[in-house]
Amino acid sequence: MKLLKIALLLCIVASCSTNKTDVDTIVTNANVYTVDATFAKAEAFAIKDGKFVATGTTKEITNKYLSTNIINANGQTIVPGFIDAHCHFYGLGLNQLNVDLRGTTSFDDVMKKTIDFYNNKPTNFIIGRGWDQNDWEDKKYPNKLLLDKLYPNTPVALTRVDGHAMLCNQAALDLAGITVDSKIDGGEILKENGKLTGVLIDNPMELVEAVFPEQTVQQQIDALLSAQKICTDLGLTTVSDAGLDKQVIQLIDSLQKAGKLDMRVYAMISNKKENLDYYLTKGKVKTDRLNVQSVKVYADGALGSRGAALKQEYTDQHDHFGALVIGTDAYKDLAERIAKADYQMNTHAIGDSANRFVLQTYEKTLKNEANRRWRVEHAQVITDHDFDYFKNENIIPSIQPTHATSDMYWAADRLGSKRIKGAYAYKTLLEKSGRVALGTDFPVEKVSPFLTFYASVSRQDLKQFPKGGFNIENGLSREETLRGMTIWAAYANFEEQEKGSIETGKFADFIILDKDIMTVDQNEIPNITVKETYINGVAQ
């Protein structure tokens, strides 16, 4: 009888074991924010073939599923992989090859970094990016005189942090064919006492960029892989690259298919004839890791370089309004073409005049259309009743919280006390539209999603300035912020059914954090670190 009982018990154990479903990975004992429709929490989940197959308590998951790879999270916080809704992924990689001028506090500092770079890595064309005269004691634009003296024969092009102004030496201007008599629509060539200062704003920059040395394919590959390492270390699993050319997109696709690039990329094609002619005719391109169905367009420049198109003059520059960088008729025709191709239009719009023009064009072009999700990238300065355009379900604001905390020191100087109330108004945009897609615009800003999160909820810099937060009424809650960095960003990319939350059937993209981002002291958010990043259930 005793032997019979033992045999029965063994049969029961074996039966229980065989009734379990084999999966690739089980994660247990975690503090999981699923970011589903109800913002539910879980303790555990199972992964099979790169996708989540179930979530629940540790007991529920381990009773139902079996795996040789069990990850005990030991109470650590897990959230869906972050999605940067607006960045320059490839540009970040290329920047690793050039002079990094971020954080420079004076023109002397810019020069020192440029000289050090050239001395360590001599080149036929010195390229850099990251300076911001608003961070200097002397906030005037720099002049090329010293660059001309130091590098009379080597072209130098140093781009402002926002990508909308560039300082060039005479060698670079000569190579680009820019003279004191040159006139380029959609921007400015700055002069002083009838002479070129070397500063170009918006469209004239393209003439210099056109003569940059071409990157080799290996340099392009190295740039993409460098950017991936930076991003996955910080918990990014999808990046929306705001402006890529056909050749780079095809390189990304080939690297992904070869298993060398795991990062998922939502690629907005740059508004260039060759890109439009190819992709708008070809149609959408969609794999598990690459999504091409949108066009990135520039309506105006940046506020910091006074290129943003405003309805009224700049408060700190009389009779200056900024300018559109594209003709109004050309923009409307482009919108019609993109709409007919069933592509998404994503327009950079900073000034209130540019935003109104873009919003009016969107509304007219998409009349009687549904589920088009055209995006206003930045939506930075909105005035009058123009916020109401975002009630249209076809229009999504794509915003970058760190822009507010970077620009807050000088933005009111540009806009005045009245207009600043409608600038960086993220809460108002959310209330009107129902969702906001959050990104960084890196390398304009730092890559870290935790700085995005912190700026969104605190509206402060890392020194907790200003007290109470910059226009704190437009700060977002932590739940709204996490949604904006995951499921709402996925929605803006037409990908909410496959990513953005930890739910059955979606890609197993998730990150393990060393602190609970939803409850940790607000000032500790920037210091959160990623313990591990998973894409398709595979640690990166």
Side-chain angles (χ1 to χ4, degrees):
M1 182 62 72
K2 186 175 181 181
L3 290 175
L4 181 60
K5 287 181 179 179
I6 292 173
L8 286 171
L9 181 61
L10 290 173
C11 286
I12 291 170
V13 170
S15 176
C16 289
S17 179
T18 56
N19 284 337
K20 290 185 178 182
T21 301
D22 285 325
V23 293
D24 298 324
T25 303
I26 293 173
V27 177
T28 64
N29 301 314
N31 175 38
V32 182
Y33 292 94
T34 66
V35 197
D36 65 5
T38 63
F39 210 72
K41 294 186 68 177
E43 278 186 342
F45 50 81
I47 299 168
K48 177 74 172 176
D49 296 329
K51 294 185 177 181
F52 298 114
V53 295
T55 62
T57 64
T58 295
K59 183 177 180 181
E60 289 169 342
I61 297 300
T62 54
N63 281 347
K64 189 173 181 180
Y65 298 97
L66 188 67
S67 177
T68 57
N69 183 34
I70 298 178
I71 300 171
N72 185 341
N74 292 311
Q76 293 181 115
T77 293
I78 293 178
V79 297
F82 289 137
I83 301 172
D84 193 309
H86 180 113
C87 66
H88 302 276
F89 178 71
Y90 178 58
L92 173 70
L94 289 180
N95 273 11
Q96 309 311 305
L97 309 175
N98 300 323
V99 192
D100 184 1
L101 300 173
R102 292 174 302 166
T104 47
T105 57
S106 66
F107 183 57
D108 287 345
D109 199 7
V110 169
M111 291 305 306
K112 182 180 184 305
K113 287 199 171 188
T114 302
I115 293 167
D116 288 346
F117 176 86
Y118 183 77
N119 289 341
N120 290 325
K121 191 187 294 185
T123 177
N124 293 327
F125 202 131
I126 304 172
I127 299 171
R129 179 169 175 166
W131 61 268
D132 184 352
Q133 83 283 6
N134 294 309
D135 293 337
W136 306 345
E137 185 176 346
D138 181 356
K139 302 186 185 303
K140 287 187 281 186
Y141 275 122
N143 191 290
K144 68 183 179 67
L145 294 176
L146 185 54
L147 287 175
D148 288 344
K149 184 176 180 180
L150 291 172
Y151 305 105
N153 302 311
T154 302
V156 181
L158 307 177
T159 303
R160 192 177 184 276
V161 65
D162 58 12
H164 290 273
M166 177 188 286
L167 174 66
C168 303
N169 69 345
Q170 191 60 45
L173 296 174
D174 290 343
L175 198 60
I178 296 174
T179 71
V180 71
D181 297 317
S182 297
K183 289 181 172 54
I184 309 293
D185 290 334
E188 290 184 84
I189 300 173
L190 298 192
K191 303 167 193 173
E192 194 173 286
N193 299 322
K195 296 181 179 180
L196 295 174
T197 67
V199 174
L200 310 176
I201 297 176
D202 291 317
N203 284 357
M205 295 167 52
E206 295 176 4
L207 298 177
V208 179
E209 290 166 348
V211 297
F212 280 1
E214 286 192 21
Q215 302 291 341
T216 66
V217 172
Q218 188 58 53
Q219 285 175 320
Q220 292 176 326
I221 292 171
D222 291 344
L224 290 165
L225 297 181
S226 293
Q228 174 175 249
K229 178 66 166 60
I230 293 168
C231 290
T232 54
D233 283 353
L234 288 165
L236 288 168
T237 56
T238 295
V239 290
S240 302
D241 197 314
L244 290 171
D245 290 331
K246 170 188 169 185
Q247 185 270 333
V248 177
I249 293 172
Q250 292 178 333
L251 179 60
I252 289 170
D253 188 33
S254 66
L255 290 172
Q256 290 172 331
K257 288 177 177 176
K260 295 181 179 178
L261 188 71
D262 292 328
M263 180 65 67
R264 303 190 200 276
V265 179
Y266 188 77
M268 306 180 203
I269 67 172
S270 292
N271 176 29
K272 297 179 182 176
K273 185 179 186 302
E274 56 270 29
N275 295 329
L276 297 173
D277 290 347
Y278 179 80
Y279 284 106
L280 298 189
T281 301
K282 180 182 180 67
K284 299 173 182 177
V285 177
K286 182 71 173 71
T287 71
D288 283 352
R289 295 185 189 268
L290 178 66
N291 192 347
V292 186
Q293 60 170 305
S294 64
V295 181
K296 168 66 183 305
V297 184
Y298 285 92
D300 65 345
L303 192 65
S305 53
R306 296 188 183 88
L310 301 181
K311 297 174 185 176
Q312 304 297 325
E313 67 180 13
Y314 276 74
T315 303
D316 60 356
Q317 188 170 340
H318 177 60
D319 204 31
H320 182 77
F321 296 81
L324 295 178
V325 297
I326 186 171
T328 56
D329 289 340
Y331 182 82
K332 292 174 183 177
D333 291 344
L334 178 60
E336 291 287 351
R337 184 182 179 188
I338 292 170
K340 288 177 182 176
D342 198 28
Y343 260 56
Q344 180 190 50
M345 190 172 190
N346 300 336
T347 306
H348 163 114
I350 300 291
D352 56 354
S353 180
N355 271 285
R356 173 177 282 183
F357 172 62
V358 169
L359 290 164
Q360 287 177 335
T361 303
Y362 278 15
E363 187 171 79
K364 182 178 180 181
T365 306
L366 300 178
K367 189 177 181 180
N368 301 321
E369 298 269 358
N371 197 39
R372 297 307 300 269
R373 307 186 194 183
W374 283 19
R375 293 164 49 163
V376 182
E377 304 297 330
H378 312 307
Q380 205 164 93
V381 185
I382 312 289
T383 55
D384 305 320
H385 298 289
D386 293 346
F387 281 107
D388 289 337
Y389 284 105
F390 288 98
K391 293 178 180 178
N392 188 324
E393 65 177 11
N394 282 319
I395 302 174
I396 298 174
S398 171
I399 55 181
Q400 301 75 43
T402 46
H403 280 341
T405 51
S406 291
D407 298 357
M408 64 185 177
Y409 305 97
W410 48 261
D413 294 337
R414 300 280 194 276
L415 299 172
S417 59
K418 184 177 180 181
R419 279 185 298 196
I420 195 66
K421 296 297 182 184
Y424 317 93
Y426 306 143
K427 190 73 165 186
T428 305
L429 288 168
L430 174 58
E431 289 169 348
K432 296 293 183 181
S433 67
R435 58 176 66 86
V436 289
L438 301 184
T440 60
D441 202 14
F442 72 68
V444 176
E445 302 284 355
K446 293 180 180 179
V447 179
S448 174
F450 303 104
L451 298 180
T452 300
F453 200 103
Y454 174 71
S456 177
V457 300
S458 74
R459 307 275 290 199
Q460 294 177 316
D461 66 13
L462 296 179
K463 296 179 181 178
Q464 291 87 57
F465 175 85
K467 185 177 181 181
F470 167 65
N471 292 353
I472 190 59
E473 67 275 9
N474 271 302
L476 302 179
S477 72
R478 296 197 195 200
E479 179 177 331
E480 291 163 348
T481 299
L482 187 55
R483 287 189 183 280
M485 296 169 65
T486 54
I487 191 63
W488 289 343
Y491 179 90
N493 292 351
F494 296 91
E495 295 177 335
E496 75 278 9
Q497 298 302 318
E498 62 187 54
K499 65 177 71 164
S501 59
I502 298 174
E503 295 184 86
T504 300
K506 292 192 176 184
F507 293 131
D509 298 350
F510 64 97
I511 54 178
I512 303 177
L513 307 178
D514 70 338
K515 298 183 181 68
D516 186 342
I517 196 168
M518 301 301 291
T519 61
V520 70
D521 182 272
Q522 178 174 283
N523 295 332
E524 281 298 307
I525 292 172
N527 302 321
I528 294 174
T529 59
V530 176
K531 305 294 287 186
E532 198 71 75
T533 298
Y534 291 82
I535 297 177
N536 262 20
V538 178
Q540 299 303 296

